[in-house]
Amino acid sequence: MTALDDIRVKEGVDAETVDAVKALSGTYKHGWNTEIEMEYAPKGLSEDIVRLISAKNEEPEWMTDWRLEAYRRWLTLKEPKWAMVEYPAIDFQDQYYYARPASMAVKPKSLDEVDPKLLETYKKLGIPLKEQAILAGVEPGPEDRKVAVDAVFDSVSVGTTFRKELAKAGVIFCSISEAIREHPELVRKYLGTVVPQSDNYYATLNSAVFSDGSFVYIPKGVRCPMELSTYFRINAENTGQFERTLIIAEEGSHVSYLEGCTAPQRDIAQLHAAVVEIVILDDAEVKYSTVQNWYPGDENGKGGIYNFVTKRADCRGARSKVMWTQVETGSAVTWKYPSCILRGDDSQGEFYSIAIANNMQQADTGTKMIHLGKNTRSRIVSKGISAGRAQNTYRGLVSMHPKAKNSRNYTQCDSLLIGSHCGAHTVPYIEVRNNSSRVEHEATTSKVDDDQLFYCRSRGMDEEEAVALVVNGFCKEVLQALPMEFAMEAQQLVAISLEGSVG
Amino acid sequence: MLKIENLHVKLEEEDKQILKGVDLTVEAGKVHAIMGPNGSGKSTLSYVLSGRGGYEVTEGSATLDGIDLLGMEPEERAAAGLFLAFQYPVEIPGVGNMTFLRTAVNAQRKARGEEELSSTDFLKTIRAKAKDLNIDADMLKRPVNVGFSGGEKKRNEILQMAMLEPRMCILDETDSGLDVDAMRLVSDGVNALRDAGRGFLVITHYQRLLDHIRPDVVHIMADGRIVKSGGPELALEVERNGYADILEGAA
Ligand SMILES: Nc1ncnc2c1ncn2[C@@H]1O[C@H](COP(=O)(O)OP(=O)(O)OP(=O)(O)O)[C@@H](O)[C@H]1O
Ligand SMILES: [Mg+2]
């Protein structure tokens, strides 16, 4: 019976998840707030605020100018309205653009110097800021990989772990504010080259006011010795979070990067507008995984995060590869299309997505695969789940340019409806401008089947457990694309975000 | 153990009466068989007992060890020890067969206030039981019932029963579609569970199964009622002469 032995690993994840789900009660479990003394920049947006953020980060002049240029451009832009999301007008003058814990005014030299309250916050979230630990929920075993963490609290990075060990391999992993100071040549060379300042309304705003985020540089031929992750926590009220991430993978390098996000439960909606840029050179590979669990608002749509994100990977080199995996369970409004520019010949882009919208949540998400090089490949697997009165839209662009000869795309887009008051929409845009490329698109929409639920229940599972099991089954292909540490968290999240969706 | 009295059931959506006064008692330690023409209400009875939606009980009662079954949720009935092997087992894409079973076993244990089974114990048990039913590792890994052949689905139902160790087992045409060897495996599985504390209600169209699983009592169901009950010889009579004589006699 040797074949049975290898079942343990994968099956174990599922069973433990279900156990963990059972143990959890209530809905949004990260809705608590950290009482901590904060320092704010004055409310509202102006050139002075932009300068102030730049000054707080002790930035060189070129950076301040870059921000100001973005700010001036932003003033000329209009908020886009094409997405299938509705929300009250955002008053950009009624927000704080910079909030940092007072204790961070003097940069701590190491994690030991960080305010224990902040450390406690991450501990409570299950994010280890100690170097031997790994993500919560997994018992460390001999073959467990280490995970380095950059912890971002409101506008600032609190600290980054495993830096020395990473430095030995030549990997730079630090906050972007630090990278601007310490590695200006790299930042200047790449910042804004994947997502230009002028890209879109939110990206332009981000370019002007981003306060922190993560920076990753993997040198030529290096396989990053551990997973890298950034954990974003919005804590302050009325404060937007604008983070900026820049990842550079030199020739033949390899990195897997994880991103997690949570926020307290608040009645007033909060703005989050991030930009992620990834540059991938010849033969390099980047895997970027997100578990987005911002506060989604209550069941009547009060509060929650408005999440407007621009994420893009530029496969500049030949045979370069990027894989986006996202589990989007949170936020009141999600507007997000992680994209791949397949510029290098034989480059590959993959996008795996689970988007769950429950209660009054609205998600408009998908991807763009821009095929520029020859023999480029892309694959899209999207699983949208709608429950309550939520609206879930998949919006995807596949574009084959004239020079992208012999390229292929495969898109599979499945929607699952729970109950009869929610909606699922699929909006594919396909452009093929050469005649040797092929695009395949498959889409399905189904309802959670009563017979499946009854079958589970007749075996002893309660209704929520049954829904969680069936939905996790529906998402399987995407969950499998996640790194192990995140797969468990994601499965739990799928179950938790659907609590109260049946009955 | 299982006591059904004067059970009347109609469809929730339309005004169609399906069960028209079923009386049936299965004692602990006994095997009862139900036979009857297509559409007589056998599956409906098993569904109503296990709590499937879409039906309305208009009269009568069903109890398990004196406890009202009909007021309970399906999962509560399962935890109380009721099990139905489905006539048409349901496919659940993406959910591994093992995961499904382990979730089910632990859900029931938890509902009864028992410790959850450790993964080592669970694996040990399921391997042994799967082997007895000639279910291989691949079938345990694959998604629940997806792409299973008819016979594999039925064997899988019996594996679930063996793992859950229910006290009252209802088997709805578990023999249909089984080859000769599988029939023996399934029967052995059922016989292995037979003991003084457990009751069985076996729905079948064929005497063949009853050669392997010797019933204590055979009932004939027609048009929503039990029209005749007797010993194992009643099944032989159906096999030889069909239902015509029995139905006439009952009318
Ligand atoms: N949801 C439903 N809608 C309409 N008719 C139904 C429904 N459920 C059951 N019936 C009808 O009720 C009757 C009894 O069905 P049931 O499946 O219980 O029969 P059965 O005795 O199990 O038959 P078989 O031996 O063919 O399995 C049939 O006439 C069937 O068509
Ligand atoms: Mg039937």
Side-chain angles (χ1 to χ4, degrees):
Chain A
M1 299 288 281
T2 48
L4 270 179
D5 293 326
D6 63 284
I7 288 177
R8 192 180 305 202
V9 182
K10 261 189 193 153
E11 295 290 332
V13 175
D14 294 337
E16 264 136 39
T17 299
V18 175
D19 297 349
V21 169
K22 280 188 289 178
L24 291 161
S25 56
T27 42
Y28 190 73
K29 68 168 178 160
H30 302 302
W32 44 270
N33 150 60
T34 306
E35 287 292 339
I36 197 162
E37 197 192 324
M38 295 297 288
E39 200 184 277
Y40 293 91
K43 228 181 206 180
L45 194 49
S46 65
E47 289 202 5
D48 285 345
I49 292 290
V50 174
R51 281 200 185 88
L52 185 100
I53 294 169
S54 190
K56 291 265 180 204
N57 286 348
E58 297 162 33
E59 288 174 353
E61 204 181 322
W62 61 265
M63 193 64 233
T64 316
D65 292 343
W66 196 81
R67 290 175 177 277
L68 286 169
E69 195 189 324
Y71 177 67
R72 289 173 197 138
R73 183 186 286 274
W74 181 74
L75 290 175
T76 67
L77 299 177
K78 283 211 162 54
E79 224 175 318
K81 291 285 173 218
W82 45 262
M84 211 178 283
V85 290
E86 265 177 53
Y87 51 92
I90 298 170
D91 182 351
F92 289 92
Q93 295 304 336
D94 193 29
Q95 306 261 339
Y96 292 104
Y97 288 84
Y98 190 87
R100 83 174 164 196
S103 64
M104 295 295 293
V106 178
K107 278 251 160 204
K109 280 186 207 64
S110 75
L111 278 168
D112 301 335
E113 293 176 14
V114 169
D115 182 348
K117 261 192 187 163
L118 286 171
L119 298 178
E120 188 56 35
T121 301
Y122 287 90
K123 196 170 165 202
K124 206 166 155 188
L125 290 167
I127 310 305
L129 293 183
K130 284 213 178 85
E131 301 210 336
Q132 69 278 17
I134 50 164
L135 278 183
V138 189
E139 283 289 310
E143 72 276 28
D144 273 319
R145 290 159 300 175
K146 290 174 182 167
V147 179
V149 179
D150 180 17
V152 178
F153 189 89
D154 291 323
S155 303
V156 295
S157 167
V158 171
T160 312
T161 62
F162 286 111
R163 300 177 55 153
K164 286 207 186 87
E165 201 172 327
L166 288 166
K168 265 188 237 154
V171 172
I172 305 172
F173 180 41
C174 63
S175 67
I176 190 112
S177 56
E178 209 176 325
I180 292 167
R181 290 191 301 267
E182 313 283 327
H183 308 283
E185 66 301 338
L186 285 172
V187 176
R188 259 188 118 156
K189 184 168 173 195
Y190 292 107
L191 188 74
T193 64
V194 183
V195 179
Q197 279 188 349
S198 57
D199 193 78
N200 69 72
Y201 188 80
Y202 305 108
T204 308
L205 176 63
N206 175 288
S207 302
V209 301
F210 77 86
S211 47
D212 223 331
S214 300
F215 176 80
V216 176
Y217 176 80
I218 317 285
K220 194 167 166 176
V222 170
R223 210 183 161 85
C224 186
M226 64 186 83
E227 306 257 356
L228 305 183
S229 71
T230 302
Y231 205 91
F232 295 100
R233 175 74 174 169
I234 297 181
N235 191 65
E237 259 177 290
N238 263 325
T239 303
Q241 194 179 52
F242 303 91
E243 86 259 4
R244 184 116 193 165
T245 298
L246 177 59
I247 299 177
I248 302 150
E250 291 275 14
E251 286 168 29
S253 67
H254 183 286
V255 64
S256 170
Y257 178 91
L258 323 170
E259 178 204 299
C261 341
T262 59
Q265 201 155 333
R266 303 207 187 278
D267 289 347
I268 299 165
Q270 277 175 289
L271 183 61
H272 173 258
V275 170
V276 174
E277 295 181 276
I278 307 180
V279 178
I280 312 170
L281 301 176
D282 286 2
D283 299 293
E285 198 175 322
V286 175
K287 183 171 173 169
Y288 191 109
S289 315
T290 308
V291 173
Q292 186 264 105
N293 185 22
W294 295 120
Y295 176 55
D298 70 7
E299 64 277 13
N300 299 314
K302 203 163 175 207
I305 301 290
Y306 294 167
N307 191 33
F308 301 101
V309 176
T310 307
K311 291 184 169 178
R312 196 171 301 154
D314 189 350
C315 286
R316 278 184 203 172
R319 297 165 304 278
S320 56
K321 201 172 162 187
V322 65
M323 178 170 162
W324 294 104
T325 307
Q326 59 169 26
V327 179
E328 301 285 316
T329 65
S331 296
V333 172
T334 300
W335 182 100
K336 177 182 173 188
Y337 318 90
S339 307
C340 305
I341 301 172
L342 302 173
R343 199 184 302 275
D345 290 348
D346 300 289
S347 59
Q348 285 182 39
E350 291 176 32
F351 173 78
Y352 295 92
S353 168
I354 297 171
I356 298 184
N358 192 5
N359 297 320
M360 297 292 280
Q361 278 178 275
Q362 307 171 64
D364 193 307
T365 182
T367 186
K368 291 182 204 164
M369 293 290 177
I370 315 289
H371 292 252
L372 301 175
K374 288 197 288 287
N375 300 317
T376 46
R377 301 269 177 280
S378 64
R379 183 183 172 83
I380 299 170
V381 178
S382 159
K383 305 278 181 177
I385 297 133
S386 325
R389 284 173 287 161
Q391 295 297 326
N392 205 333
T393 302
Y394 168 81
R395 192 180 297 277
L397 166 72
V398 176
S399 172
M400 302 281 185
H401 283 239
K403 286 189 182 140
K405 301 248 186 303
N406 292 312
S407 295
R408 300 271 176 276
N409 161 267
Y410 172 73
T411 300
Q412 182 192 331
C413 182
D414 300 321
S415 306
L416 187 69
L417 302 172
I418 302 175
S420 47
H421 304 292
C422 54
H425 318 275
T426 303
V427 191
Y429 305 87
I430 299 173
E431 313 164 353
V432 182
R433 289 192 274 150
N434 70 61
N435 49 25
S436 58
S437 293
R438 203 170 69 214
V439 174
E440 274 178 81
H441 182 98
E442 283 176 29
T444 66
T445 300
S446 49
K447 281 198 127 192
V448 165
D449 181 26
D450 285 342
D451 282 337
Q452 287 176 336
L453 295 184
F454 173 61
Y455 191 63
C456 295
R457 296 179 73 192
S458 78
R459 298 305 183 241
M461 295 168 222
D462 66 31
E463 199 162 12
E464 282 181 349
E465 222 171 355
V467 170
L469 197 75
V470 170
V471 172
N472 269 314
F474 171 79
C475 302
K476 190 77 170 188
E477 288 153 278
V478 177
L479 290 171
Q480 276 174 340
L482 284 170
M484 187 73 161
E485 293 86 348
F486 258 25
M488 284 196 42
E489 193 185 327
Q491 287 187 29
Q492 294 176 13
L493 255 183
V494 167
I496 293 163
S497 357
L498 289 170
E499 269 178 16
S501 64
V502 286
Chain B
M1 142 167 276
L2 177 66
K3 195 170 173 122
I4 305 166
E5 284 180 311
N6 193 30
L7 189 65
H8 285 69
V9 171
K10 68 181 268 295
L11 292 177
E12 217 168 52
E13 298 282 288
E14 49 182 297
D15 218 10
K16 184 171 171 185
Q17 198 74 30
I18 299 176
L19 299 184
K20 303 171 180 172
V22 175
D23 286 287
L24 182 67
T25 302
V26 180
E27 308 80 10
K30 301 286 187 214
V31 174
H32 285 230
I34 300 186
M35 302 180 85
N38 292 136
S40 54
K42 304 181 296 297
S43 292
T44 303
L45 176 64
S46 69
Y47 284 144
V48 170
L49 292 175
S50 46
R52 188 185 194 213
Y55 306 101
E56 193 187 321
V57 175
T58 51
E59 226 185 309
S61 66
T63 56
L64 185 64
D65 294 327
I67 304 163
D68 173 31
L69 271 180
L70 303 176
M72 286 193 243
E73 296 295 335
E75 59 272 25
E76 294 169 338
R77 303 181 199 203
L82 187 77
F83 179 87
L84 168 63
F86 283 54
Q87 182 174 1
Y88 305 108
V90 179
E91 298 181 2
I92 310 183
V95 177
N97 213 3
M98 286 257 264
T99 305
F100 179 80
L101 256 172
R102 192 170 155 193
T103 311
V105 167
N106 283 332
Q108 292 203 12
R109 291 177 80 103
K110 198 171 169 208
R112 296 194 206 106
E114 297 165 12
E115 282 271 307
E116 295 191 352
L117 213 53
S118 75
S119 43
T120 334
D121 289 345
F122 176 80
L123 270 169
K124 225 186 273 170
T125 321
I126 197 168
R127 275 181 197 164
K129 301 204 169 181
K131 198 171 171 211
D132 289 345
L133 286 159
N134 202 10
I135 289 174
D136 64 15
D138 182 52
M139 243 173 90
L140 290 178
K141 269 200 240 183
R142 277 162 58 187
V144 181
N145 293 320
V146 177
F148 286 23
S149 76
E152 285 169 348
K153 284 184 182 168
K154 298 300 178 72
R155 275 189 276 142
N156 198 38
E157 293 289 290
I158 300 303
L159 175 65
Q160 293 180 9
M161 183 172 87
M163 287 301 293
L164 294 168
E165 300 184 324
R167 289 181 311 119
M168 180 64 223
C169 311
I170 306 173
L171 279 68
D172 191 358
E173 292 197 30
T174 303
D175 55 330
S176 299
L178 291 184
D179 66 34
V180 184
D181 294 333
M183 174 89 79
R184 182 167 294 279
L185 289 174
V186 163
S187 310
D188 289 349
V190 172
N191 288 329
L193 281 176
R194 275 179 93 153
D195 72 30
R198 192 170 273 132
F200 286 89
L201 189 57
V202 178
I203 299 170
T204 183
H205 286 295
Y206 307 106
Q207 160 62 28
R208 211 170 48 143
L209 178 73
L210 305 178
D211 285 340
H212 297 292
I213 306 172
R214 300 288 301 159
D216 298 292
V217 184
V218 175
H219 307 275
I220 308 297
M221 187 158 186
D223 193 22
R225 282 186 199 88
I226 302 291
V227 294
K228 191 167 182 180
S229 303
E233 70 287 348
L234 192 54
L236 288 168
E237 191 186 325
V238 170
E239 183 92 346
R240 270 197 306 272
N241 306 329
Y243 291 111
D245 292 353
I246 296 170
L247 297 188
E248 240 163 65

